[in-house]
Structure formats: C-alpha cells, structure tokens
Amino acid sequence: MQSIPEIEQEIVNEFALFDDQMDKYEYIIDIGKKLPALDARYMTDDFLVKGCQSKVWLHAYPKDGRIYFEADSNTAITKGIIALLIRVLSGQKAADVLSCPLTFIDSIQLRSHLSSQRSNGLTSMIQRMRAYAQAYL
Amino acid sequence: MKTNTALVFDVSAIRNQFPILHQQVNGKPLIYFDNAATSQKPLAVINTIKDYYEQYNSNIHRGAHYLAQLATERYEDARHTIASHLNASEQEINFVRGTTEAINLVATSYGRKFVSAGDEIIVTEMEHHSNIVPWQMLCEEKGATLRVIPITDSGELIYEEYLKLLSEKTKIVSVAHTSNALGTIHPVKEMIADAHKYGAVVFVDGAQALPHSKVDVQDLDCDFLGFSGHKVFAGTGIGVLYGKAHLLEAMNPYMGGGEMIKTVSFKGTTYNDLPYKFEAGTPHIEGGISLGAAINYINQIGLDNISSYEHELLRYGTEQLASVDDLRFVGTAENKSSVISFLVKNIHPYDIGVLLNEQGIAIRTGHHCCQPLMDRLGIEGTCRASFAFYNTKQEIDVFVKALQRAVKVLS
Ligand SMILES: Cc1ncc(COP(=O)(O)O)c(C=O)c1O
C-alpha cells in the first residue's frame, strides 16, 4: 500500500502532463467514470454530502485496521473529484486520513479553477471523509 | 423605425461603456451570458456612484446645507425619471432594496390588512421563489389559500385554468411579467383585466421585464409592480415598488423609523406622505440616484432598439443551439425574452457550466430559484444563457463551439 503523500505525488505527476485545463477536466471525468458503482442502499439522504448543485453520496467502512471509501455523484466532474479523493484516502489508516494535509488538490490547480461553490463542495467531501475516519479511529 | 436600428445601434460603442466586459477569464475573453441573474453596469452608472461620493455625499431630506440639498435633489430627480419611465406619478414610486423587498412589502402591508381567512391568492407555477414564499407566509398567517396557475410543457400559462381559479375569493394575483427561468412573457395585461373583474389587485414582478422592454403601469393597469436595479444596469441593493396611490395610502407602513414619520410622540405617531411613508431610515441614496442614471442610459439607446436587437440575438442563439446534437430547449413559448434554457443529453447542467466557465463563458445552471417549475417539468435544473444588448452574435458563435467541446468532454 502506497502512503498518502506517495499517491498524491503520483496524481500531481499525471496532471503535470496537461497544460490545457479542459484536458485536465477530461481526465478527471474519465477517472470518475471508472469509479465502481455505489450500492443503491447508500444512495440515500443519510449518505449525502451537502454540496451545492451536485450531489455526492459517500460511504465508508473499516477493515483490518484501515478505512475504505466508496462514493457516487450525479455530476461527472464531482464524481471525478471524489474518485481522486478515494484513490488517495481509501485503504489508509484512519489516523493518517485525519492528519494528512492533502496538498495535491492545490498542486494540480483544481481549486483555483473550481467555483467557490464547488470548492465548498470539495471542502465538505473532505470533512465528511475525515469525520468517518474519526469515527473509525 | 426598424431600418434605423442598425444605424443607431452600434454594439461596439455600447460595449465600450461596460468596462467589465473587457477582460479575460481563464485565459479567454469573457462572454457574459448570465444577464438574467444580474446585469453589468455602464460607465454612466459607475461614474454616477463615483461622483456621488466624490462630490455630494450627504444625508437627504434633512439638512439645510448645500450638499444635503444637492443629494436630495438628485435623489428626487431619479424618482422623477423612474416615475416617467413607468408612466406613474412620483408619489407612487417607492425605493426599496429590490423585487424581493417589493413583494414582501406588499404581502405584509397590503396583505396583512386586506387578506383574511378563506381568501385566495393566485400565482403561477413558474414564479421565482421571491414571488411564492412571501405569499405562502401571508396565507399561513391569515388562513388564506395560495392557488397556482398551471403551465403547458412549452412553458406557457394555461389561461383557461387561470380564469377558473379567479373568483370573489381572489384577493391578490401575483405574476411575473417575464419568467427568469424560461423567458416566457406572460399576457399580464389581460390577466390584470380579468383579475379586476373580481376586485382582486395584481402585483406584477417586473424583474425580468424592465431590462428588455417598455413597461407602462397605466397601460397595464397593474396595481403594484416591483423591479430590481441590479438587473436593469444599476447597482445592487436598490429597486422600486410602484403602487397605485390610493392603495399605498390605504396600506400600513412596512417599517417604522426616521423619514417615514410626520410627527413622533409617545402618545402617537403620524406617518409621512407618500412615498416617504414606505422609506424608513436613511435610504440607499447613491443607489437610487444611479438607478435613475441607468434608466436614462437605456432610454438614450431606446428600448425599441434594445428589444429588436435582443430579439435577433434570441432568434440567432436559438437557431445556432438547435444545431448541437441532442440539445433540448426547456421553454419554447411563442412570446419570449432573450433567455434560452436548455439541456444536453442527460448531462448535468452543472458539468456544462463548469466547462463553459473554463472557456471564459458565464451562464447560469441550476433551478434558477424556480423549484416548483422544475418539479413541474420533471427536471432538476437547466443551463440558462440570457442575453443583454451588449452581447453579440460572435459571442453566441464562440459559446456554441465551447458548448460542443464541453459536451464532447462529458459524453
Ligand atoms: C422574476 C424574478 N423575480 C424576483 C427576483 C428577485 O430579485 P431580487 O433578488 O433582486 O430581489 C428575480 C431575480 O432573480 C427574478 O428573476
């Protein structure tokens, strides 16, 4: 299992290949498309992360001392973003999920190009993931 | 008149009056197609605000000194400009914060006094939340009922249903002149005449009408009309409530405070005359003055010129968008303002909005504060491009290409 900073660096390297923002988004959307489907029983309001216009359903479970995340979204871009977060955080130790600074988001320059609403959505997604980690500490 | 349009209407000269349009967003020239949310401001308005603070900032209606007199004069000049623009008298023009406040003022000051249990208030299925919630609150308080005029799939009112809803119980009909979500222009003049047969008063939400067309309150014979300055090329935080004088006279004040009183004593207070009765406290002075400047500005260009130019943008935009594969227009009323709501395939509007923003294009996505309308249409929201007279066909071309690119990325 790679560490959180290692996976973050991997993602930063991948995004460095694009100089066009639209290509970055295309890549994010592709990553989202590959996200395994979330079981329908988790697609309820209880698992909803309140973003603005996009809906994100997030579920987590502990296994062998690690925490695993699964999610879905009704918008393609958000789904890609949550897929990136899952790639970084799913399968890690809860304590690491809580303490990691998550620098890749700034490094791939997504945040600056996301509307503030979306950034708020992003913040809520991360908060929700950390809240799960807290619960499974 | 028509042949003159091309001559008088010089869009690049007009664009020069709007400094904000000349910038890059995400490395691309800004294309601003979110005019139904708020409009951009011409130099005439920006300079009016600047001049106010640099030359004659002062509180109005009070001081005997020079600055106070000048500020008062300009503020009242603006009221005069707006009154003649609407074909109303000055005492019928109340400065408020915007359309939302205008509706709340009438719901509170007229509604509380004249609506009682068992009465009915009528709105349409496609109103902005601002034109629904204040009436719901009033109905709840009074035990009155809110009735809703249904619409067709194309986004037009079903007029027969409106006629069926009208009765002696109807106390207020409140309807948008023009829908912000779909652009539908409602037949308000007939609606008003029909409501009057039952003695109901009619509030016209003019938020989306004032920026695009001439609105004559006497011709419409509406009882109240509200609009927002920020949508009609002035700043935020200022708007107008027009009301027929005899109705405003009969209403209770909305807020108490300075300005709205004649005399105050602990035995009792007497209220000021119209329009000051509804203007408690120090008003948005430079807002009012610059709203006057905005109205003068559009009148200089001419609302006929603006309407016909925007109509051509609407026609062209609709035609060009129709060429996008699997694009579906939402709202295809015959009589429309320059608003185009659409969906592409089953792509979420927000994804399209983000990818257009990446290409420097501002549109609005979502429910446009019309959730009941979206429920009726069975959708969550739409993409909405709304044009103003400073937009161009070239911008529409760039927009359509950018949309095609976004759709490709999202497919
Ligand atoms: C039709 C309509 N009514 C009311 C409003 C509310 O206007 P404001 O927010 O300026 O009070 C709007 C603005 O979005 C509108 O489009």
Side-chain angles (χ1 to χ4, degrees):
Chain A
M1 183 80 214
Q2 287 171 289
S3 72
I4 291 176
E6 279 165 4
I7 305 173
E8 286 194 281
Q9 190 53 51
E10 207 175 82
I11 293 174
V12 171
N13 294 345
E14 286 165 17
F15 275 84
L17 299 173
F18 304 111
D19 40 40
D20 186 302
Q21 273 302 117
M22 287 294 277
D23 293 339
K24 271 188 202 172
Y25 275 100
E26 191 159 6
Y27 188 59
I28 290 170
I29 291 160
D30 277 343
I31 292 170
K33 281 181 189 158
K34 292 183 193 124
L35 192 66
L38 182 65
D39 196 313
R41 76 191 131 128
Y42 301 122
M43 311 260 287
T44 65
D45 285 356
D46 287 346
F47 294 91
L48 199 60
V49 182
K50 289 266 182 305
C52 195
Q53 290 186 42
S54 47
K55 287 184 178 162
V56 177
W57 297 271
L58 182 68
H59 171 246
Y61 59 92
K63 203 176 125 194
D64 304 332
R66 291 175 182 267
I67 181 166
Y68 292 84
F69 294 100
E70 15 180 59
D72 200 350
S73 171
N74 65 342
T75 75
I77 294 167
T78 312
K79 194 165 168 175
I81 291 166
I82 191 78
L84 282 176
L85 288 171
I86 286 179
R87 185 168 148 198
V88 175
L89 298 177
S90 193
Q92 302 292 341
K93 293 204 170 83
D96 295 339
V97 171
L98 278 173
S99 64
C100 69
L102 279 183
T103 52
F104 82 99
I105 296 158
D106 287 327
S107 309
I108 62 176
Q109 289 187 328
L110 267 185
R111 204 185 273 271
S112 60
H113 284 269
L114 296 174
S115 72
S116 59
Q117 281 173 356
R118 174 75 66 177
S119 293
N120 291 337
L122 187 65
T123 310
S124 332
M125 283 186 247
I126 296 169
Q127 264 172 7
R128 188 72 174 250
M129 292 174 107
R130 293 206 210 265
Y132 272 120
Q134 185 74 45
Y136 293 133
L137 207 55
Chain B
M1 280 310 281
K2 218 37 206 264
T3 45
N4 263 339
T5 309
L7 280 179
V8 248
F9 203 87
D10 177 353
V11 74
S12 67
I14 284 170
R15 289 179 70 82
N16 283 338
Q17 296 298 307
F18 291 82
I20 203 171
L21 298 177
H22 307 279
Q23 65 175 296
Q24 306 248 313
V25 167
N26 291 325
K28 303 274 163 46
L30 165 67
I31 293 180
Y32 186 76
F33 283 172
D34 194 17
N35 293 287
T38 200
S39 62
Q40 299 305 345
K41 321 305 172 200
L43 285 172
V45 167
I46 297 168
N47 289 337
T48 299
I49 296 169
K50 190 163 169 276
D51 289 350
Y52 172 76
Y53 282 114
E54 287 183 357
Q55 295 168 22
Y56 59 97
N57 167 49
S58 187
N59 211 331
I60 57 172
H61 298 141
R62 311 177 185 190
H65 60 81
Y66 173 75
L67 294 184
Q69 280 171 7
L70 193 56
T72 304
E73 204 175 291
R74 297 282 164 83
Y75 191 71
E76 292 307 324
D77 281 351
R79 196 192 306 275
H80 174 79
T81 299
I82 295 158
S84 34
H85 186 68
L86 294 177
N87 195 17
S89 74
E90 283 157 41
Q91 54 164 359
E92 296 171 318
I93 301 300
N94 307 275
F95 282 116
V96 292
R97 279 192 299 150
T99 312
T100 304
E101 190 173 60
I103 298 168
N104 277 280
L105 195 161
V106 174
T108 305
S109 293
Y110 183 87
R112 282 212 181 128
K113 193 159 174 187
F114 296 105
V115 173
S116 33
D119 288 344
E120 294 183 351
I121 296 170
I122 298 178
V123 297
T124 82
E125 205 167 16
M126 56 197 303
E127 294 309 312
H128 189 283
H129 295 161
S130 289
N131 198 21
I132 297 175
V133 183
W135 305 118
Q136 279 179 326
M137 290 162 64
L138 175 64
C139 286
E140 201 162 303
E141 184 182 318
K142 292 293 181 175
T145 308
L146 191 64
R147 309 294 301 266
V148 183
I149 311 167
I151 60 163
T152 63
D153 291 341
S154 63
E156 286 167 310
L157 295 183
I158 305 177
Y159 207 85
E160 308 86 75
E161 295 297 326
Y162 169 54
L163 293 178
K164 280 189 220 157
L165 288 176
L166 282 170
S167 76
E168 306 299 333
K169 291 187 205 160
T170 312
K171 287 292 167 312
I172 300 171
V173 175
S174 192
V175 58
H177 178 291
T178 303
S179 150
N180 63 309
L182 307 183
T184 308
I185 299 172
H186 297 308
V188 279
K189 191 171 168 176
E190 284 137 84
M191 294 179 77
I192 292 163
D194 282 316
H196 285 169
K197 289 178 194 157
Y198 295 89
V201 299
V202 181
F203 185 102
V204 173
D205 172 349
Q208 299 293 339
L210 268 285
H212 306 291
S213 55
K214 186 86 188 149
V215 174
D216 180 325
V217 292
Q218 291 195 47
D219 177 53
L220 289 181
D221 197 25
C222 56
D223 301 286
F224 300 102
L225 176 132
F227 70 91
S228 300
H230 70 94
K231 293 190 200 276
V232 60
F233 316 104
T236 54
I238 189 74
V240 166
L241 167 66
Y242 156 83
K244 282 181 180 164
H246 73 97
L247 294 174
L248 295 173
E249 297 278 11
M251 287 156 59
N252 291 328
Y254 182 52
M255 285 196 285
E259 284 282 290
M260 55 76 71
I261 44 82
K262 223 174 228 157
T263 59
V264 177
S265 84
F266 288 110
K267 288 199 196 78
T269 290
T270 55
Y271 304 130
N272 206 339
D273 298 328
L274 295 178
Y276 311 110
K277 177 175 155 187
F278 294 104
E279 295 183 1
T282 299
H284 187 2
I285 304 171
E286 83 280 15
I289 297 172
S290 52
L291 177 53
I295 299 292
N296 281 331
Y297 175 75
I298 53 175
N299 280 329
Q300 257 167 31
I301 300 173
L303 274 163
D304 286 345
N305 292 329
I306 288 173
S307 291
S308 58
Y309 180 78
E310 288 180 349
H311 197 79
E312 180 55 17
L313 287 181
L314 174 66
R315 188 203 62 76
Y316 184 75
T318 307
E319 177 190 284
Q320 294 305 306
L321 281 172
S323 70
V324 176
D325 284 345
D326 298 312
L327 183 142
R328 170 161 83 88
F329 292 106
V330 182
T332 49
E334 222 152 89
N335 200 5
K336 264 183 72 168
S337 76
S338 52
V339 168
I340 305 179
S341 251
F342 62 91
L343 290 166
V344 188
K345 297 181 180 170
N346 53 0
I347 300 173
H348 196 284
Y350 202 52
D351 285 326
I352 289 179
V354 171
L355 294 188
L356 287 175
N357 177 52
E358 281 308 325
Q359 302 174 80
I361 300 165
I363 63 156
R364 183 68 159 244
T365 61
H367 54 58
H368 317 297
C369 297
C370 295
Q371 280 181 341
L373 170 64
M374 298 300 145
D375 289 346
R376 158 64 181 84
L377 298 173
I379 55 182
E380 252 183 77
T382 72
C383 304
R384 180 189 71 185
S386 52
F387 311 128
F389 57 83
Y390 42 66
N391 291 128
T392 66
K393 287 188 183 176
Q394 290 93 303
E395 287 183 314
I396 291 173
D397 291 339
V398 175
F399 160 61
V400 171
K401 279 209 188 75
L403 175 64
Q404 271 159 338
R405 177 145 191 228
V407 170
K408 198 163 151 243
V409 168
L410 288 161
S411 297

